[in-house]
Amino acid sequence: MPLDETLYINLNLGDEEYSIVGGGKFFAYLAIITLAGFLYFAVLQGIKGWTPGKYALGIRTVDATGRTGPGVGKATIRWLLWIVDGFFFYLVAFVTALASDKNQRVGDMAAKTFVVRQD
């Protein structure tokens, strides 16, 4: 699709119709942003066990065995489930972390990962 064409996406949910109208440049932008997010939150964290923010705070992500760098697959699960954790201004993540035995948010439970101190 050339970047100067307009793309229309319509979604019907019940009696409501939602539309996204944008040019190819908009969708190219979305693809770049999604790729950057995947590289940052899934690949970097999956391989190294940290993002620059986690590194600065002295925390890291480990798998259930304690291995730093839980893997790209587990980090992808954590990243995608931020959607669920973000409901009600991240109240779901907050309540889940407080109520769970191991203080994990939904993404950590699904991926079987933990966020621990660097030392």
Side-chain angles (χ1 to χ4, degrees):
M1 177 173 92
L3 293 180
D4 59 349
E5 287 186 16
T6 302
L7 183 64
Y8 300 93
I9 298 174
N10 294 317
L11 177 64
N12 291 315
L13 297 174
D15 294 335
E16 298 292 322
E17 181 176 349
Y18 301 92
S19 298
I20 299 173
V21 180
K25 292 177 186 175
F26 172 71
F27 287 98
Y29 169 77
L30 285 181
I32 291 168
I33 293 300
T34 302
L35 178 64
F38 175 74
L39 291 173
Y40 184 80
F41 290 109
V43 175
L44 178 63
Q45 189 166 213
I47 293 170
K48 295 289 188 180
W50 50 262
T51 59
K54 279 186 173 61
Y55 188 78
L57 291 173
I59 57 178
R60 61 191 168 112
T61 305
V62 298
D63 66 5
T65 64
R67 180 180 61 117
T68 299
V72 175
K74 289 184 178 198
T76 301
I77 292 169
R78 292 184 80 246
W79 176 52
L80 292 175
L81 285 175
W82 264 115
I83 296 168
V84 174
D85 286 323
F87 288 158
F88 306 109
F89 301 100
Y90 295 97
L91 185 62
V92 170
F94 182 72
V95 170
T96 305
L98 286 178
S100 66
D101 293 338
K102 298 175 183 172
N103 300 105
Q104 296 170 289
R105 63 178 184 85
V106 174
D108 286 320
M109 289 180 195
K112 297 179 178 66
T113 58
F114 301 91
V115 177
V116 297
R117 283 190 221 121
Q118 192 74 17
D119 52 326

